[in-house]
Amino acid sequence: MSHQLPTNYESQKNLSVVLHKQNDLRLEEKPLPDMPGKNEVLLRSSKVGICGSDVTFWTKGLLGPFVVKEPIIMGHEASARVVAVGEGVKNLKPGDRVAVEPGIPCLRCKDCREGSYNICPNVYFSACPPDNGTLTKYYKWPADFCYKLPDHVSDEEGALMEPLSVALHASDRAEIKGGQVFLICGAGPIGLINLLLVKAFGATKVCITDFNKDRLEIAKKFGATTTVLLTREQTEAETREKIITGLGRMPDTVLECCGAEASIRLAIATCKDGGKVILIGCGPNEVTIPIMTAACKELDLRGCYRYMNTWSRAVDLISSGTIDVKPLISHRFNLEQSLDAFELAKSGKGIKIMIDCLAD
C-alpha cells in the first residue's frame, strides 16, 4: 500500500472542465493535488457521465437554490483509479478501480447521526456550487466514499452507479413492492434507470411519458408496458386519460423525473387515491400545483434528494447482472472533447453521454 506519490506524478497535467459562469464553460489546467491526507485517496479520473444538472448549471447558472457564483469543476457521475492512499486507508490500494460517491457529509450533525446524511446541511457535493466536481484528471477524495469495483464491472458501469443510486433512493422513498403499477414522468437517463429498477423489483405495468419519441422507443426496449408521447397541444386531462387507458388503471406510484410544473401537476392528477408521488426531477425552485387535490386524494408527496446508503447495493445490482445500465450510454467523448460533449447533451439528442478521462 503506497503512501507516496508515483515517480512521474509531478510531470502530469490536470486538465479540467471548469464552469466560470452561465454559458461560460472552459477546458483548463488546474494544479495537481498533493499527497492525500488521513483517510483520503488520490484518484485519477476514469469515466465521468454528464448529468442533466451539469447542463442546467451551465446554461442557466443555477439549479433551484444553488447558484454559480465562482468557477467550479464540473462532473459528479464518476469512476476512478486509485493513485495513492493516505494514512489510515485500509480498504483500498493503488491500482484499485472505484465508483465515487460524490457527496461528503460532515458525519457530525443531527441529520448525519440519524442516518440521513444526504440532507446534511454541511455536505460537500461534487459540481454543486460552490463545490468542485470530478471532471478533472486528478483529485483527492475520502476513501470511505469510494467503492471498489469487481473485475467484471467496467469503469463506465462504475460511473453509472450514481444515477442508479438516485433511482435506488427513490425506490426507498416509494417503498416499492412487487406487483405495483407505475407512471414514470420523463424518459431521460433518470427516468429510464428508474424504469429498469422498478421492473427488476417486480412492477407489473409501467407507463413512461416524454416529448421525445426516440427516448420512448428506448423505453419500450427497456420494458415499458406503454408509453405516452407528450405534445404542447394536448391537455392534462387528455394525457391523463391516455396513461390510465394504457395501464388499465391509475398507477399506484408516480416517479416524477422532470421537475417541470406541468409534469408534477400531471403526476398528482393521474396517481390513484392513497398513492405516492415521488419528486425526483430538479426544476424551478417554485411551482404551482393543486395541493388540495393531492390532500383530498390522500396522496403522499415525497421529496427525493440525492441518495444515502445506496452505493453498495448499486454495485451489487450491477455486478450480479440484475440491472444492465450499459445500454443507457449513447455517446462517448475524450476529456479534450468535453465542450463538444456538453453541446450534445444540451441538444437533448443523447441519453447518457460518457467522458473518458484516461484517454490521451
Side-chain angles (χ1 to χ4, degrees), residues 19-59:
L19 178 63
H20 282 254
K21 59 183 178 180
Q22 183 180 4
N23 293 320
D24 185 2
L25 190 66
R26 309 179 197 177
L27 276 171
E28 296 179 351
E29 297 286 351
K30 287 291 188 179
L32 286 167
D34 55 12
M35 183 66 195
K38 187 175 182 180
N39 299 322
E40 285 186 331
V41 290
L42 175 65
L43 299 175
R44 168 75 190 270
S45 281
S46 178
K47 312 290 184 180
V48 180
I50 297 179
C51 176
S53 64
D54 296 322
V55 176
T56 300
F57 279 125
W58 170 40
T59 58

Side-chain angles (χ1 to χ4, degrees), residues 79 87 110 180 187 215 259 342 351 353:
S79 63
E87 179 189 351
K110 183 175 183 291
Q180 292 178 309
R215 289 188 171 185
F342 270 80
I351 299 296
I353 297 169

Side-chain angles (χ1 to χ4, degrees), residues 132-173:
N132 284 317
T134 59
L135 202 38
T136 179
K137 282 196 172 182
Y138 293 94
Y139 59 99
K140 293 190 292 187
W141 208 252
D144 287 342
F145 291 90
C146 296
Y147 298 81
K148 188 175 178 180
L149 296 175
D151 291 342
H152 67 282
V153 175
S154 70
D155 292 340
E156 289 186 336
E157 289 173 301
L160 290 174
M161 299 295 174
E162 197 275 346
L164 179 55
S165 282
V166 172
L168 273 168
H169 185 54
S171 74
D172 291 343
R173 297 287 288 154

Side-chain angles (χ1 to χ4, degrees), residues 208-280:
I208 191 164
T209 65
D210 206 280
F211 284 96
N212 187 318
K213 64 181 181 180
D214 293 333
R215 289 188 171 185
L216 292 181
E217 288 301 316
I218 294 171
K220 290 177 184 177
K221 294 176 182 177
F222 281 13
T225 311
T226 185
T227 63
V228 173
L229 179 65
L230 303 175
T231 67
R232 304 294 179 188
E233 298 75 27
Q234 194 168 272
T235 67
E236 179 184 286
E238 290 170 337
T239 305
R240 176 180 179 274
E241 187 60 32
K242 286 185 176 182
I243 293 167
I244 295 172
T245 299
L247 289 174
R249 66 177 178 88
M250 300 171 82
D252 300 297
T253 300
V254 182
L255 303 176
E256 201 296 301
C257 300
C258 300
E261 179 177 307
S263 185
I264 300 172
R265 294 178 64 92
L266 177 66
I268 292 171
T270 310
C271 191
K272 76 169 189 180
D273 291 11
K276 298 184 183 71
V277 175
I278 311 301
L279 303 174
I280 305 169

